[in-house]
Every structure is written in structure tokens, then in C-alpha cells.
Amino acid sequence: MRMLTFAGRNAKEILRDPLTLLFGLGFPLILLLLLSAIQANIPVSLFEIQSLAPGITVFGLSFITLFSATVLAKDRSSSLLQRLYTTPLTPVDFILGYTLPILPMALAQTALCYAAALLLGLDLTVNILLAVLLNLPVSLLFISLGLLFGSILNEKQVGGICGALLTNLTAWLSGIWFDLELVGGVFQRMAHALPFYHAVELARAALTGQYGEILPHLWWVAGYAIVCTAAAILLFLRQMRRQ
Amino acid sequence: MYAIDIQGLTKRYGNILAVDHLTLRAEEGELLSLLGVNGAGKTTTVKLLSCLTRPTEGDAYLLGKSIRHNPSAVKSLIAVSPQETAVAFGLTAKENLELICGVHGFSRSKRDRKITELTELLGLEHILNRKAGKLSGGWQRRLSIAMALVSEPKILFLDEPTLGLDVLARSDLWDIVRALKGKVTVILTTHYMEEAEALSDRVAIMRDGRLLVCDTPQGIKAAAGTDDFEQAFIRTVKEVGA
């Protein structure tokens, strides 16, 4: 009950920020429409809707890190957390309270992207549901990155690191906008060692029904999600002790 | 039993001694001010007593509960209004109060009763449905104190509650703090001499983490041989603390 009260407050803070609607929903949908329009005029296989839509859902989730990190960094700077640390809320309540309200937002964002993709010609199959569900570990990864950065950075730094750097890393190293094999070399190896490429390939495999391709990418994403969640919990507890 | 019984409390950050073997007591219902220049150890003392940080040495007992061995029991007795405004800016004033009621596990009826009571006590009627982030500094501080009072604390820590406020807002907050005297034990940290003199039953003057003197404002002035409290503070810090 206590945790749910705190989670409810975090949901309100995030949803009342107009940037959430702009970047969380507006920006991915605009990209989807724009790139589909380009595809209609100059066909590129990478921008076919069944390839583009999963990529856009993952790119959209990279903004989740910004929301999660911003709310935590704001709470730290305003001393609200210091006040709440003197209440009966436990460390588990805090971590779940920051994580749980963002998961349904991430799912809603993914579902809306696919709904828009349906209007743009994506076939309606049960694989869409699978692709939405498999975005859950990806969401957890981005939320944990938000908790991690929110525990150590201030609000301004969060804007730079999560709002600019992370979204660009996700864009460049995921294979959404260009085929990584065209670049090759260190760049491609680096992309394959990071989770963003695997998150996009995981969603593409699920959507196109290539079930055998799911697990290899899921392990990468789940592995990163577990490590980042553990690191986020440790850093959160460290800043809690330092209050 | 003392409301607060501090015994040799020490906090060290690396080579820095923030609080140095502090021994101090406060009676129930007393308003005790911690006064000192920057770095005197006031805020660290509040953080130690409110279990936000662990002592390096020593212990303190709040209504008999040890901050070292029983922090959860201590947390159930206290509330803190931190130095910076500690409100959720995206929520309305009412939602901020509901948040604190919720994290303390209040039922809906108890929550509504408590919000009505605090709204009347702190005069929050007109700002209840306004977003906390849009309120002036004075109203944010009022809301912050209301949030601290939600849990009906036996001991209330007010860390620089009037810092940066204009004269009228400060005067309003003084009235609120005066109204709490006798009902709640209040530990007030402040930089303002006139605030400490006007509100406190006793004043503890600190320097470099050490307690220099703890007495009534009149006692401190008499010991320093002056009628002016600011002069008494300066003499105490320079002479006793030298």
C-alpha cells in the first residue's frame, strides 16, 4: 500500500510533464510517419513497416530512461527523498515505486507505436502481442538505466546523458536507421556487444515470427537488464546511505 | 525521560569531524535551537538524530529509542522538514499531503481528517488545489511543515525553515512554530539570531562540530555580558570556541 502510494505519485509526476507526451509518444510516432512516407517514395528494405516499427518501439523506449532518471534526480535535488527516507518506506518500496509505474507507460508506448504501424500497413497478427511483451525486458533495461543515472547525476546532467547521449547511442548502435553491416569493423562489433541492437532484433524476430531468432537476442537484453538493475539498486542504496 | 538524550555523538567524513562528541538533552515539548556558522555541524546533527546517517561514535536516544540500534522505532516518532523545500513539485498541495498520509499507511478517513486539520492549522485552504511547484517559497515552506506534521510526530526537526523567505512569510512561519511549542519537541536549526532568540526555550551554540554552550537566550546573553543576542553569539563563538 505504501509503495503503491509512492508509485502513484511518481506516475503523476511523469505523466504531468508535457515532455513525456512529446518525447514518449509524439516523437516516435512522427518518426514512424516520416520514415514510412520516405519508404513510400524511395523504397528501402530497412524502412519497410515490419522492420521499422519494432525499431521505433525500442528507440521510443530510450526516452523512458530520461523520464525515470529525471523524476529521481528531481527528488534528490528537492530533498523530497530525504524527507521520505525518514518515513516507514523501505528501500524495496523506493525501487519498486520508481520502476513499476513506468512499465505500463512503456507497454502503452509500444502498443501505440504498433497501432500506428497497423494504420500504415502492418499485418495484424498475434506476433504483435509477442513483440509488445518482449519489449518488457527492454523496458526494464531502460528503466534501470534511468534509476542508475538518476542516483548519481543531477537534473541538468540527466538531460545531457539520458536525453542526448543515450538516445543517440540507441539510434546509432541499434541498426534501426542503417544496416550495421554497411559500417562493419569496430563499430559493428561494438553495436553487437551492447544491448540496443539485440533489443531491436529481438522485437523484429518476434514481429516477423522468426521464433528461433528470439532467444539469442533475449539473453543479451535480459543479461544487460539484470546487470543494470543490480547496478541501479546498488547506486540507489549508496545515495540513500549518503543522505 | 528526555525527548532527546545525545551521548557523545560523533560523525566523521574521512578526515573531517562534522560532529565532535556532542552531548545534549532536550525535554519533551521544548523548542531547542541549534545555532552556528556554516560548517558548525547543525545539519549533520539533525541527519544523525533523524537516522539519515549513522554515527561514527556515540549514540542518541529519542524518547528512549536508540538511533544506532532502533532506527525504525525512532523514525516512527519523528518528522523532518529539510533545509531545501522537500515537496513534490508536480503534485498539488493536497496531493502532497495525501502522499505523506499514504506512505504512513493512513486509512482514507484518517487521511481526510488529517488533511482538514492541517489545512486549518497552517491556513492552506487557498492553495490546496494548486501545484506545489507554482507556489511561492513561503507557501512551499508552509506545505513542507504541514507534510512533516502529518505523522503526528513527537519530535519535529526544522532545518533552516525560514531560509530565503521575506519578512512577512518568516513572521507567519514563526507563528506556526510558536503554536507547536509545548505540543511537540522541536529541534530548529537556524542562521538567524533573532529567530533563535524569539522562538527558543534554549539555544545550543555549535562550532566545528562541538557544542560550545546550551542555555536560554537570556542565560547566553548574561554569560556573554551583553543585552544583544547577536553580540552574545559572536562573543561565545569567538571566546568559548577559540
Side-chain angles (χ1 to χ4, degrees):
Chain A
M1 180 62 198
R2 291 184 168 113
M3 184 278 287
L4 289 178
T5 302
F6 181 58
R9 171 264 162 179
N10 293 332
K12 282 179 192 164
E13 287 274 0
I14 294 168
L15 290 172
R16 285 177 185 177
D17 187 343
L19 284 179
T20 304
L21 287 177
L22 182 67
F23 286 104
L25 288 179
F27 193 48
L29 288 178
I30 288 169
L31 279 175
L32 195 64
L33 291 171
L34 196 68
L35 293 169
S36 295
I38 293 172
Q39 166 68 13
N41 293 317
I42 313 162
V44 182
S45 65
L46 200 63
F47 292 165
E48 286 170 4
I49 196 70
Q50 71 275 14
S51 181
L52 180 66
I56 295 285
T57 63
V58 171
F59 181 64
L61 288 178
S62 68
F63 291 102
I64 290 285
T65 302
L66 178 65
F67 308 151
S68 148
T70 302
V71 73
L72 174 53
K74 264 187 190 173
D75 287 351
R76 284 174 51 233
S77 67
S78 73
S79 292
L80 182 70
L81 270 184
Q82 193 177 318
R83 177 195 289 286
L84 293 174
Y85 289 155
T86 62
T87 70
L89 284 174
T90 63
V92 174
D93 291 333
F94 282 107
I95 289 158
L96 289 178
Y98 278 118
T99 306
L100 290 185
I102 305 179
L103 274 176
M105 291 180 208
L107 276 181
Q109 185 193 50
T110 300
L112 273 171
C113 275
Y114 280 123
L118 283 172
L119 297 175
L120 293 168
L122 183 69
D123 292 336
L124 178 63
T125 67
V126 74
N127 288 334
I128 293 179
L129 191 63
L130 182 64
V132 172
L133 286 176
L134 284 175
N135 258 8
L136 267 178
V138 182
S139 307
L140 197 63
L141 167 68
F142 282 114
I143 293 170
S144 62
L145 283 172
L147 277 183
L148 195 152
F149 289 124
S151 295
I152 53 176
L153 304 176
N154 62 35
E155 202 184 335
K156 196 176 170 189
Q157 292 167 327
V158 158
I161 299 286
C162 302
L165 186 63
L166 186 76
T167 49
N168 274 295
L169 278 179
T170 310
W172 297 341
L173 297 169
S174 60
I176 303 171
W177 318 115
F178 53 88
D179 191 338
L180 294 172
E181 281 185 23
L182 294 176
V183 185
V186 176
F187 187 85
Q188 189 182 14
R189 284 200 295 279
M190 199 163 69
H192 284 192
L194 290 169
F196 314 116
Y197 161 77
H198 297 286
V200 172
E201 289 304 312
L202 170 67
R204 282 175 177 162
L207 186 70
T208 52
Q210 294 169 293
Y211 305 122
E213 297 289 310
I214 289 176
L215 272 184
H217 295 299
L218 182 60
W219 293 135
W220 274 96
V221 173
Y224 265 102
I226 290 167
V227 170
C228 288
T229 303
I233 291 170
L234 287 176
L235 286 171
F236 183 83
L237 294 177
R238 191 187 72 152
Q239 67 83 28
M240 195 173 176
R241 280 195 300 273
R242 285 185 171 184
Q243 279 292 321
Chain B
M1 185 177 11
Y2 290 100
I4 298 175
D5 185 0
I6 304 172
Q7 299 177 0
L9 201 61
T10 300
K11 181 67 184 180
R12 203 183 287 275
Y13 295 104
N15 294 326
I16 298 164
L17 199 54
V19 176
D20 184 3
H21 295 92
L22 180 68
T23 295
L24 185 63
R25 285 168 173 164
E27 302 279 353
E28 284 188 49
E30 182 177 9
L31 196 153
L32 175 68
S33 287
L34 300 179
L35 196 59
V37 292
N38 287 338
K42 310 182 296 287
T43 296
T44 306
T45 302
V46 169
K47 284 186 174 181
L48 285 163
L49 295 178
S50 52
C51 304
L52 282 170
T53 188
R54 282 181 64 79
T56 312
E57 285 176 48
D59 203 348
Y61 298 87
L62 277 66
L63 293 164
K65 312 290 182 195
S66 160
I67 59 164
R68 190 182 272 280
H69 303 294
N70 205 353
S72 56
V74 170
K75 284 182 181 184
S76 69
L77 298 169
I78 65 164
V80 182
S81 183
Q83 199 173 86
E84 296 86 8
T85 308
V87 299
F89 294 115
L91 303 189
T92 64
K94 188 179 180 189
E95 286 170 338
N96 268 282
L97 294 170
E98 286 172 348
L99 167 68
I100 301 299
C101 289
V103 298
H104 282 285
F106 286 10
S107 65
R108 188 178 289 265
S109 60
K110 187 176 178 186
R111 180 194 75 183
D112 292 345
R113 185 164 42 80
K114 181 50 72 179
I115 290 175
T116 306
E117 182 189 316
L118 288 170
T119 301
E120 284 172 15
L121 179 70
L122 287 126
L124 301 175
E125 294 87 352
H126 303 298
I127 55 112
L128 217 49
N129 293 313
R130 286 177 57 193
K131 268 196 184 174
K134 304 281 183 194
L135 298 174
S136 67
W139 283 108
Q140 286 183 350
R141 292 291 169 88
R142 254 184 211 230
L143 174 61
S144 187
I145 291 175
M147 288 163 76
L149 292 172
V150 160
S151 62
E152 299 173 3
K154 301 273 186 274
I155 301 167
L156 176 64
F157 295 96
L158 298 175
D159 195 5
E160 307 273 6
T162 61
L163 190 69
L165 297 187
D166 62 43
V167 175
L168 284 179
R170 183 178 297 173
S171 163
D172 287 345
L173 269 185
W174 283 13
D175 290 340
I176 290 164
V177 175
R178 280 194 190 99
L180 296 173
K181 279 175 77 167
K183 298 172 192 161
V184 181
T185 305
V186 180
I187 304 297
L188 174 84
T189 72
T190 183
H191 270 100
Y192 300 117
M193 305 298 141
E194 71 279 18
E195 186 164 286
E197 186 179 14
L199 297 176
S200 315
D201 295 311
R202 286 188 305 148
V203 176
I205 298 178
M206 296 179 72
R207 179 181 165 176
D208 300 329
R210 288 183 297 124
L211 177 67
L212 302 181
V213 65
C214 182
D215 203 345
T216 60
Q218 292 73 23
I220 290 171
K221 286 191 284 189
T226 172
D227 283 337
D228 182 71
F229 189 70
E230 189 168 327
Q231 277 305 314
F233 170 78
I234 292 168
R235 284 183 197 173
T236 304
V237 170
K238 283 189 173 173
E239 291 166 18
V240 183

